[in-house]
Amino acid sequence: MRHRPWACCRMFLLLGLLTAGTASASAAPRQVLIFQLTGAVPDDPGGALGRLTQVVARAAGLTEAEVAIGQVTFEDTAALAGCGSTDAVCLAEIARALRVDDVVLGDVGLGAAAGTVDVSLTAFVDGTITQRTFTLSATTVDAMVAQLAREVPALFVGPSEGAPTAPAAAPELPSHLAPGRPPAPPAAA
């Protein structure tokens, strides 16, 4: 029987190519569509909405997704898809029609407190709607962009460094200091 070393190598090469093709096909990145933010930023000479939209898109990209910013408004897209709300059914229909996995839209408006702007975002990710409002200090557009860049990743990947977090839980008291317990006897000298 004759030994064929190349036949064995070809078999391994073919197996490797098939495995690599399957892995790359199953690891296709998620497709995320970010609609341009709508609304108004006070004292904005122009461009603030676009810059804030870019911040949201960069945050969505932290998930290693392919992100695109829509050139048509959400309202026009929803009308073309035959729906007009931000419920899960409508957002799923839009995502399906546009062949994307996730959809994000938002609105910018005056905050409740003086000198603030609220950025309200609705994210349709993995079939679930998440709504979040970020209150930004409206000192300058650059300051708003920087603050949103720190906070908005939480919508996609969890809180980022420097983002406000919930206060830590108070440490548990030792049993002899717990409420309702008599004080411990003084230590003997």
Side-chain angles (χ1 to χ4, degrees):
M1 181 172 193
R2 203 168 124 186
H3 182 64
R4 296 185 203 175
W6 290 107
C8 188
C9 288
R10 275 188 262 168
M11 183 178 73
F12 284 119
L13 181 60
L14 181 59
L15 182 62
L17 289 173
L18 289 174
T19 305
T22 304
S24 65
S26 65
R30 297 189 66 76
Q31 304 291 316
V32 180
L33 176 66
I34 310 290
F35 284 98
Q36 287 282 345
L37 298 180
T38 59
V41 175
D43 302 324
D44 177 29
L49 290 176
R51 289 181 63 194
L52 294 172
T53 302
Q54 288 288 334
V55 169
V56 175
R58 278 194 306 271
L62 293 174
T63 62
E64 297 186 15
E66 290 184 7
V67 181
I69 297 176
Q71 301 302 311
V72 179
T73 67
F74 170 77
E75 291 76 16
D76 291 343
T77 305
L80 290 172
C83 61
S85 66
T86 57
D87 64 9
V89 173
C90 183
L91 293 175
E93 185 63 27
I94 290 170
R96 187 184 63 71
L98 297 175
R99 295 185 175 128
V100 297
D101 299 300
D102 308 322
V103 176
V104 180
L105 59 132
D107 184 61
V108 179
L110 290 175
T116 62
V117 170
D118 286 342
V119 177
S120 300
L121 298 176
T122 300
F124 179 73
V125 178
D126 295 328
T128 303
I129 293 177
T130 302
Q131 294 180 318
R132 184 112 185 248
T133 299
F134 301 92
T135 301
L136 311 176
S137 173
T139 53
T140 67
V141 173
D142 288 339
M144 288 188 296
V145 165
Q147 185 179 351
L148 188 61
R150 283 190 308 273
E151 296 180 21
V152 79
L155 188 63
F156 302 101
V157 295
S160 63
E161 256 183 61
T165 57
E172 193 171 310
L173 293 173
S175 62
H176 70 280
L177 295 178
R181 295 247 177 162

